[in-house]
Structures are given as C-alpha cells and as structure tokens.
Amino acid sequence: MTPIDHSDPAGAAPRLRVLVIEDQPDDAELVVRELRRAGYTLDWQRVDTPEAFEAALDPALDIILSDFALPRFNGMEALRRLQARGLDIPFILISGTIGEDLAVETMRLGATDYLIKDRLSRLASAVQAAIEGRRLRRQAAEAEQALRRNAARFQALIENGAEAIWLVDQRAGITYVSPATRRVLGYAPEEVLGRDSLSLVHPDDLPAVRVVFENLVVGQLPRALMQARLRTQRGDWGWTEVSFDNQLRDPLVNALVVHLRDVTERVQRERELEAIARLNRAMREAPNRAAVLPLILEQVAALLHPEGASINLYNGATGETLIGAALGDWAPLHGTTVAQTGSLALEVMTTGRPFVSSDVRRDARRDPHYLPQTLTPHTTALAGVPLRAREVIIGSLWVGRRVPLEPEEVQLLGALADISAGAIQRMTLHEQTEVQLQRLSTLRTIDLAISASLDLNVTLNVLISQAIQQLSVDAAAILLFDPHTQQLTYAAGHGLRTTTLDRLRLRLGEGLAGQIAAERQMRVVADLAALPPATLKADLAYDEGFVVYIGAPLIAKGRLQGVFEVLHRAPLRPAADWLEFVETLAGQAAIAIDNATVYADLQRSHNDLRLAYDSTLEGWSRALDLRDRETEGHTRRVADLSLQLGRVMGLRSEDLLQLRRGALLHDIGKLGVPDYILHKPGPLTDEEWRIMRRHPVHAYEMLAPIAYLQRALDVPHYHHEKWDGTGYPDGLSGLAIPLAARIFAVADVYDALRSDRPYRPGWSEAQARAYIAEQAGRHFDPAVVAAFQQVEGAALFK
C-alpha cells in the first residue's frame, strides 16, 4: 500500500508527524514499527497524561494514535480535548480492550477510525485514509469559501448596479428582487417579492409582453429586449427597458433573469424630438438651412430691390462663417472665416449693432479689410443687421444698393432679419434634432449589441461601424489594455488599409494611443503631419494617410480598458457636441469591455467551483474504494453503467450529472460501519446485518447538510430499496423509490455479481443478465431491466 506522499521534491521518504497516546512504551514502539514498515518516516512523540497531551497538541500534527484506557485519562477524553481546541487532526483509536458499542460511539463523536491492537496490519491504510479524508475536507472547505467569495462579488454587482434585477419563474411570479428596484420603480424589494410580474404591466403593453414571456417559457427565445410601461410605487406608469435572459433550463437558476432600466426620460425626450421634427417638417418651406437662405434673399430682393445681398451664418465659438447665400454679383461667404467677411461684418456679428451707410466707401476707414470682400465696386449704400435667435447672434444679413436705404427700409431689413433668424433657428433645431435622433439611434443599436451578445468582438465591430457612419470619418479603431503586460493591443477597426495591426503593441506613453492611455485624457490632433515622425510610427496613423486624429480613453469603474481612436484623411473641425459624442461612444465601448470581462470572470469562477466539487466527490469515492479493498474499482464501474442506463431511459443531462454524483457516493455511509463487519470473510450475524443496513441512513445524515448534494441524495439513501418493498432502509416499493435509485440498483447488483468475492468467484455475463431479468418486478423496476437489456455486453463490465 502506498502511503500519503509527504516527501519533498528531492524524493525523501514520506514523513508523518505523529502523536501517540500510550502508557506502554512497547505498545507505542509496536505502532511506530508498523508505520515504518509501510514506508513512513516519522517524527513522533508518546504522551500518557492529560497535561502532556495538552502540551503536545500542535496544528502541524498529521495524526493522533490513541490507546483507549490509560491510568490517568482515556481516548474519549483526549478526543474531547482535541475537539475543544478546534484542531482538525485525524484521531485513530487503537485498543485491545474496548468493546464494539463503545468504539462505534467514539467514531460517532468524531474519531476517524479504530483498530484492535492485535490487528495492526490495517494501521497504514487507516492512517492513509484518515489523512486523505482531512485533505478532502480542507479542499471542500476551500471550495466553499471560494463559492462564498464569488457569491459576495456577484451580490455586490447586483445590489450596486443601476439596473434592477428580478428572477421570475415560469408562472410569472417574482422570486428575487434586487435593491435597485427602489431606484427604478420606487418599490422596496419586499413590496414586489412574490407578486405576479405581469400584474405590473400597463394594459396596453400587456399583450406584447405576454407573447414574449410565453415564448421564453417554452424555450423559443434565449433572450429578449423590449420597452413597456410598468406601474411605479407612486401609482403612475414609467417607461422601462426590460431585458430577459432565459435561465429556466439552468438548474442553478431555474428562472428568467429580468433586467429593468428606467427609460422614462429618454422615451419622453425621443417623443419630444419626434414631435419637433414633425412640426418642423410641416412648417418649413425648404428641407434645410442651405435651401431656406435663398428663399429669405428672394423676399429681401422683392421688398428692397438691392444691387446685391448676402446672408451668412456665423459660429461664434470657432469664428467661422458656416453657410452663406448671395444675390447679384455678390459671392456667398460659405466656408470662409470672419476675417474674410471684413472687420465691418465682424463688428456687426460680434457686437450685435446694425450698420447703415449711404456712402460706405466714404465712411469706411482706410483699412482695405474693413469692407466685406463680396461687395461689388458699384455698391454705394450698405446696410447690415445681425441675425439674433434667442439673444444669440447666429449670422448677419446685408443689402447693398446704388441709392441709400430709407429709414423704413432699414426697419424692414431688421424685421426680415428677425423672421430669417426664427426660420433659420427652426432649421438649425431640426438639423440638430435629426443629428441627435441619429445619435440616439446609434446608442440604442450599441446598447442592443451589448445586451444581446457577450461576444466582445461583435459588440466592438457594431460600435465602430456605427461610429464611422455617424461621425462621417474614414476610420475608427479600438485598442484594448492588458493590465498584466501594461500594453495596448489592436482589438477591432474599420477603414484601415494596413494588414499588420495584429502585431501592434504599445506601452503606456508610447505613441498617441499610449499617451492618451497614460494621461487618461481625450486628445485631438488637427494635423498629424505637424507631429514628430517617431510619434506616428508607433501608432495606427503611420502610413495610412490620415490628417486628423481623435483619441479617447476607455474607462469603466475607474479602470483603464483601452483607447478609442477616430481618424480622417482630410481636414476636420469637430464641434463640441461632436467631441462629446465621441466620448459617449468611448463610454459605451468601455462598458461593453467591462461587461464582457466581468461575465468571463464569473463564468470562469463558476466552472472552477463546479470542477472543484466534482473532484472532491471523486476523491471521496477513491478513498471509499481504498477502505473497501474487496470492491476496489466498483464505484467507477457502477457509476459508468448507471450513466449508460440513464441515457437509454432518456434522462436529461442535469439528471445524469446528479445520478453520477450519487453513484460516486453510494457507499459513503459505510464509513459508519466498523471494519470488522465490512471486511468479515464469512456470513454476518443478525446484529451485524442490523449495523450494515444502517449505512444508507448514515449516508443521508452525512450528505443532507451539503446543499450542493441535495439532488444527489436519492442513490446513497435508497439504492438498497426493492421494487416489491422488501428492501431497506424505509421499505419503499414501486414508483415510490426514486428513479435514480432504481437505475443504480440494477448497476450495483450486476457489478457485484460479476466481481470476485472471497466466498465465490464472479459470475459470467450470461448468468448475471439472467439473474437481473429474473428479478424484474421483485428486486428491480421492470422498465430499468428492459433498458439494461439494451446495453451491449462489452460496455457493461470494464
């Protein structure tokens, strides 16, 4: 037998730290020799008094071997003192005088095992099993702690999120309510818990919500996203974005995961913008500002009969004339700067004071740039008035004639300017509304991509394509930041000509993107050619012909996620709202990256935890096989055969998983059966059978407190029940016996018949099959026996 490996990497012998409680030195030496004979190297100490025992107790001990009766105290007292100290040290009782009942009671109180002094041949295996048991307990405890930590993190995400999260069962009942529900709908969690979720939906929205809900319940939809009005705690209706994630088939969740976000203000704003857009379409006489300007000038020409006239829109923030139109020989000022309009026009548009002159050339200062460059040589009289909308100057209106304007004509020009400003303002609002609607639609599309897919590449590509379309630029790209390597790497992009981007690696501070990531500030470069070549060579802009570069850091929850880059191959003068939209897109990208990272971490933690649990169960089953040497390998075989039978009978994957776990632990209750009974070569007495038949009850008592194994209890608890009711421990019959136990009973008996025993050789396959068929309706469920006959013989006993 191979002992537990406590050896160091250099290959030293296994070493155990042993405390022996024994008043007879010769008996202690006998125990030590037996362990050394099994291959252990020992650090050991003998004690025989309570004081010496207390002084020798050390958490570093591997095992305690105790005689039962000593002159000053006994093994039972030593066990109680060990438990009072809270130390997890395996405790094996070795005695030549203890009775069976007292030994069983000692194990019930926490002893790992007990041995008879004249049967020390089993000492090494008992020590090995005890130490392995402690290792498995510690492994299970660590797994439980990891589960609690992950649960705490997940709970913090739910409770501190902006969205409310509900769990809704297949009857629409609300089984969980996150605290954020108070922010979204005003309810405290206890006010909503247990209610019918559909009862909170507005009657006009209920049919659509019910259709989606029913499709989710029957499994036709894995997820869904919609808007509906829900009743708030105040009694009114609030527009809510409702996202469904169908987890009804997940046995750990068994519910629809519903995310709720208050979008009342957004919906109202969208509707207001739509109303404004419809109003503008009904009122305007032209489709845009550029088209409405000539219409205004036509009215000026009809009323004032000028030699020339012009109207120009002005951006006070940038000093640019954005759009212009003209009559006569005057040229429009579209795309020019204020300096090109002349300092006279600049005075009107910056001061807001009208200008009127009957002889402009005589009155003008001798500055050649004073007059607008659009004036023709024969213009004598000139009048200019500002276009004022809501106290903001948005441009100017000019009229030139050979004859001066009369005072009433100047007043009429001012009135036309007021009307023009109102019309232009409406056109401006309309265009801004269209832009905002398009940007809202873009954000909505990106939101849907984030909600509908956990594939980060899909989400980022949707975001980049929408960004290029709405920003009207040539290219965009996203670089992801790796906190481990402290580098930026290319993740997604469109509009780029090179094919070497996968090799891009930028350290913090390197290139434009590296500088943005290090400083965590947006950067706008209007002319890339003005930067040092070394700066560009390390970035995406190198050899791409880009002129303009805008980069924004991707930051979510205070953590750097990457850099969002926008690039254009022609000059570009971005407005403030345009740059704000770039920052908004960067925020969406950061959220998408953070969501994908959090989900991946949670998924990894969940898988690691499940793997740890299953590894623990397999360790338990191997430990049981080591103890019950006559049936070594039995657990693995019956587990495999049970799974084959379960598949033939159409069990779901989750039920097969629970069947396997139960099969691995089916004989764990035998830990409560003394070795002299478990390994007895001959028939058992009636009293011994009574003790042996208690092992399913022991299994239930040991496993029932473990929530993770609740659904796997049927096999350890009921696998000795019989179809005709003559089994144990509860005498169940027929369909009252759980299906998993009925399936396992066939596999267990078949393997036992085929295995060699000290009192008989193993049966042939034909003999075993005949016995199983004979016992249908008596020992076994006939349906399980029928399924058993469908399994090929080669697969039955490996």
Side-chain angles (χ1 to χ4, degrees), residues 68 163 183 202 215 267 274 281 289 345 393 431-432 440 476 479 502-503 557 591 605 621 637 659 721 743 786:
F68 181 78
E163 298 180 348
R183 290 195 296 272
H202 191 282
N215 285 329
V267 171
E274 290 172 359
R281 285 195 295 269
R289 290 180 296 170
I393 297 174
E431 292 175 6
Q432 292 174 346
L440 284 172
L479 308 181
D502 288 342
R503 297 195 299 270
K557 300 175 183 175
I591 291 171
S605 297
S621 71
R637 292 194 301 272
L659 174 60
E721 299 288 358
I743 291 174

Side-chain angles (χ1 to χ4, degrees), residues 784-798:
V784 179
V785 173
F788 172 79
Q789 300 301 340
Q790 298 179 37
V791 179
E792 293 292 335
L796 290 175
F797 195 77
K798 299 180 181 178

